[in-house]
Amino acid sequence: MAIGIFDSGLGGLTVLDAAQKRLPDVEFVYLADSANAPYGVRTADDIYDLTCKAVQRLFDAGCDLVILACNTASAAALRRMQEAWVPDDKRVLGVFVPLIEALTERQWGDNSPPREVAVKHVALFATPATVSSRAFQRELAFRAIGVDVEAQACGGVVDAIEDGDMILAEALVRSHVDALQRKMPDPQAAILGCTHYPLMQEAFQAALGESVKVFSQGHLVGESLADYLERHSDKMGSGGSAYLTTGDPKRVSDRATQFLRRQIVFEAA
Ligand code: DGL
């Protein structure tokens, strides 16, 4: 029984960690495409090719359901994969929708027409590829009207986190928040639209101020995965838990252990 969780690197561990806490009896296979991270500065075609290759690796490991715990892949590749590539007996899901449902106060799968919601001014922090895809704004427009979204492409933050340089990551977060606030001085809510950013959640919250509600994906994806599995128990797959990386397993294990504060051992994908 294994569910696949994919990210370009370490960010998806924030989703994995929440999913493991919510579903302690489920086995997960995590794949970090560390050799090719970051994805956020790549073209959509490149992200599509790399994501298909990584997801195929998770299918080969026995996963029938794969979560793209990567907003960049969800934004730039997921729709095309679902339309043209995913086999009928497999499912690939993204991480955008649970977040947007939380922001727009919707229950899972509520497909009623868009309506006015409490929050009017939203700051979106994401990778350059996610921002330029406008996928977040598109999904939001299906569910809410009258919400003003200001997006900030946070160049450099993912590289700094992958390198373990948290001082640089923190400085970059402050400067990206500052740039956002020059465009939108008083956001009511902020979306951490990259799974790496919850690792810097305190820095985002401190720079934004306590009055801004910060949304991140971990537990929201955990909840919606639990809900999905209740309705699709056939998608549990086969095989046991594993942590796979296309990068250097020792280096990736050290960083992952530092981030999750428990021993994580990666092996070569
Ligand atoms: N953690 C990923 C995301 O959610 C990808 C970051 C990257 O590789 O640039 O967007």
Side-chain angles (χ1 to χ4, degrees):
M1 295 201 314
I3 307 288
I5 307 249
F6 164 71
D7 184 38
S8 60
L10 297 165
L13 291 173
T14 58
V15 171
L16 175 79
D17 192 45
Q20 283 175 327
K21 285 185 176 133
R22 178 64 183 79
L23 296 159
D25 299 328
V26 173
E27 313 268 9
F28 291 96
V29 181
Y30 185 87
L31 173 58
D33 190 11
S34 321
N36 295 302
Y39 277 20
V41 289
R42 293 178 178 275
T43 63
D45 280 347
D46 209 4
I47 295 167
Y48 176 80
D49 290 342
L50 290 169
T51 306
C52 289
K53 198 168 161 208
V55 170
Q56 184 61 54
R57 177 70 185 83
L58 287 166
F59 289 161
D60 295 344
C63 303
D64 290 338
L65 168 65
V66 174
I67 309 292
L68 300 187
C70 174
N71 292 271
T72 307
S74 303
L78 180 58
R79 188 187 288 192
R80 188 169 155 200
M81 288 171 78
Q82 286 169 333
E83 284 170 2
W85 184 81
V86 179
D88 286 346
D89 59 338
K90 309 282 186 203
R91 285 301 293 270
V92 180
L93 302 176
V95 283
F96 264 23
V97 171
L99 190 68
I100 292 175
E101 285 176 340
L103 182 74
T104 56
E105 307 147 36
R106 282 183 181 240
Q107 297 300 319
W108 199 93
D110 170 357
N111 288 327
S112 58
R115 54 179 180 258
E116 281 207 37
V117 292
V119 62
K120 301 283 182 230
H121 303 287
V122 177
L124 168 67
F125 297 96
T127 65
T130 299
V131 169
S132 63
S133 76
R134 297 189 60 81
F136 179 85
Q137 288 90 330
R138 204 168 41 239
E139 290 293 337
L140 184 65
F142 290 137
R143 296 170 177 81
I145 45 180
V147 183
D148 180 20
V149 178
E150 194 61 67
Q152 177 65 32
C154 298
V157 177
V158 168
D159 310 64
I161 293 172
E162 289 287 321
D163 289 344
D165 189 343
M166 306 316 265
I167 294 174
L168 175 60
E170 215 176 301
L172 288 169
V173 166
R174 278 198 300 273
S175 104
H176 288 305
V177 168
D178 194 57
L180 182 284
Q181 285 171 329
R182 272 183 263 130
K183 299 178 279 183
M184 178 182 272
D186 293 307
Q188 294 163 286
I191 301 289
L192 303 190
C194 168
T195 53
H196 282 71
Y197 301 169
L199 295 165
M200 304 305 300
Q201 182 141 353
E202 281 173 24
F204 274 101
Q205 187 75 67
L208 285 158
E210 284 309 314
S211 63
V212 179
K213 184 165 169 48
V214 175
F215 286 81
S216 67
Q217 283 157 326
H219 84 277
L220 296 171
V221 175
E223 283 306 321
S224 71
L225 177 59
D227 191 80
Y228 181 87
L229 289 177
E230 245 169 58
R231 288 171 296 112
H232 300 88
S233 51
D234 61 311
K235 287 286 176 283
M236 294 291 261
S238 58
S241 294
Y243 294 88
L244 307 174
T245 177
T246 57
D248 171 9
K250 162 91 177 70
R251 190 168 180 273
V252 177
S253 303
D254 288 349
R255 298 261 187 277
T257 300
Q258 175 195 343
F259 288 142
L260 292 194
R261 297 194 180 97
R262 59 187 159 92
Q263 172 108 53
I264 307 282
V265 180
F266 274 84
E267 52 192 283

